[in-house]
Amino acid sequence: MNVPFLDLSAAYRELRADLDAAVRRVAASGRYLLGAELEAFEAEFAAYCGNDHCAGVGSGSAALELALRALGIGPGDEVVVPAHTYIATWLAVSAVGARPVPVDPTPDGLSLDPALVEAALTPRTRAVLPVHLYGHPADLDPLLAIAERHALAVVEDAAQAHGARYRSRRIGSGHVVAFSFYPGKNLGAMGDAGAVVTRDAALADRVRLLRNYGSREKYRHEVRATNSRLDELQAAVLRAKLPHLDAWNARRARTAECYTRALGGLPQLAVPATAAWADPAWHLYVIRCAERDELRRRLERAGVETLMHYPVPPHRSPAYADDPAGAPPGTHPRSEHLAAAGLSLPLGPHLGGDEAGVVVEAVTTAAAGLRAYDRRSPAGTPRTGKHWTEAFGKGSRPNG
Ligand SMILES: *Cc1c(COP(=O)(O)O)cnc(C)c1O
């Protein structure tokens, strides 16, 4: 039996009648943008997140970018981002003309390291951008405390964390939170879509302005802006899926539990940790292995599809080769280690128990004979303020 990484058509098969009806409803309405479906989805998703406002946009990238722009962040500003994330987090910062300032996660890889965040602050820092990576919530409270002390915005990247909880607070209930509804995410559209969820009515209004050519009223353009809307078809699809999100996340959690129970004792691997304060959405199940590439080859031969999230850290990507955020190997050692050792096993709400069993068998067999994974010292010491002074030059000295 072959096990694909993720079967997206399974969600369609489960909800076929509802999804077909949603698509037909929009097709027949003659209204394809900025209509009743979007308005209803925005209300329903804000309520799901326990927040006040939701503004649908064209993608998760657009949600991050327009949230930053709505906060007035742009050229000359710096935004602290995780070194270990999907590059889209960084690209959104670059897109508004600001500079991503990467820092390593805590040694367990679960969250931005608050000590490193403090060390990376400069007089130009405007925001901290934590990512709830793999569906595991970032440790928000220490970051909110830093932001409060230094008068910074906190913009959360929740593209992988629909439905997760942090200290029983729903991810999405924060001040400014960006979501992606890319098809493979826990709540996925049948194309690109995203949203900014916020407590701030003025900020939501600003995102709605920025997503629509800077216009509230036809022929009147208040600011130079873009076109990035969550269309009616995607809104209707997301409305059909949203009521199933919690049940789907629960199924993901059951598979994750099964993997952890079966694989947690293998000396060649580290299974993903869950912090005491976290109720993850289990977007991904990422193990670590010293011989990741060999393990991946063996699993492929056994018919188990795996992916890497993500094999090249953004600071090593050609996209940042000419940017101060781009940096030589060793600069963000924890992130580099996670990029070299991380392997994502098949996981999704429609992965069957028999398939999970095949994965467990295959990983157990494939891991035999590989080098043991050293859980104590997976990485070196991240560079702090000194590195930033060197990279950014004088006048960009870290605070305190
Ligand atoms: C998917 C993703 C994005 C970007 O979302 P898109 O809808 O693909 O533009 C941003 N950040 C993270 C962490 C993501 O996983």
Side-chain angles (χ1 to χ4, degrees), residues 21-38:
V23 169
R24 275 199 302 270
R25 190 169 71 235
V26 173
S29 76
R31 174 101 195 213
Y32 306 122
L33 285 166
L34 301 179
E37 297 290 343
L38 176 62

Side-chain angles (χ1 to χ4, degrees), residues 55-301:
V57 296
S59 68
S61 299
L64 286 167
E65 186 181 333
L66 297 191
L68 292 168
R69 282 191 66 187
L71 287 164
I73 293 170
D77 296 331
E78 294 175 3
V79 177
V80 178
V81 297
H84 181 60
T85 181
Y86 183 47
I87 196 169
T89 312
W90 290 38
L91 293 174
V93 175
S94 300
V96 303
R99 179 176 277 174
V101 176
V103 304
D104 251 344
T106 46
D108 57 20
L110 291 177
S111 194
L112 270 177
D113 189 327
L116 298 179
V117 171
E118 292 251 29
L121 300 181
T122 79
R124 294 205 270 256
T125 311
R126 294 284 314 280
V128 179
L129 209 172
V131 181
H132 306 298
L133 200 66
Y134 307 154
H136 189 289
D139 193 2
L140 287 172
D141 284 348
L143 300 174
L144 291 167
I146 292 171
E148 171 101 54
R149 269 203 303 286
H150 298 274
L152 307 172
V154 174
V155 178
E156 297 170 53
D157 181 342
Q160 304 188 356
H162 321 68
R165 286 179 190 273
Y166 170 70
R167 297 189 188 279
S168 72
R169 281 131 62 184
R170 182 79 90 182
I171 293 300
S173 60
H175 197 69
V176 189
V177 190
F179 283 92
S180 163
F181 306 116
Y182 171 82
K185 302 289 161 82
N186 289 36
L187 180 62
M190 290 182 174
D192 279 315
V196 178
V197 177
T198 178
R199 296 251 162 246
D200 183 339
L203 189 114
D205 185 59
R206 187 93 188 149
V207 170
R208 292 200 175 97
L209 190 66
L210 294 173
R211 76 181 174 188
N212 193 44
Y213 319 106
S215 170
R216 259 180 272 255
E217 221 179 284
K218 207 168 177 63
Y219 307 124
R220 187 178 137 72
H221 300 273
E222 299 171 35
V223 292
R224 291 189 291 276
T226 190
N227 168 11
S228 179
R229 295 164 314 200
L230 198 172
D231 66 67
E232 291 289 284
L233 270 174
Q234 302 307 338
V237 165
L238 291 167
R239 290 185 70 199
K241 287 183 166 187
L242 180 58
H244 302 272
L245 176 58
D246 285 343
W248 286 351
N249 281 350
R251 287 193 231 159
R252 288 174 181 273
R254 268 202 300 282
T255 302
E257 211 175 290
C258 155
Y259 284 163
T260 296
R261 211 179 319 113
L263 305 174
L266 295 180
Q268 298 89 351
L269 311 176
V271 294
T274 300
W277 35 262
D279 195 351
W282 288 109
H283 175 59
L284 295 169
Y285 189 92
V286 182
I287 60 173
R288 280 171 280 152
C289 177
E291 293 182 77
R292 187 266 314 274
D293 295 338
E294 176 58 21
L295 179 64
R296 184 158 195 253
R297 272 192 295 275
R298 293 181 181 186
L299 288 173
E300 192 183 342
R301 282 200 293 274

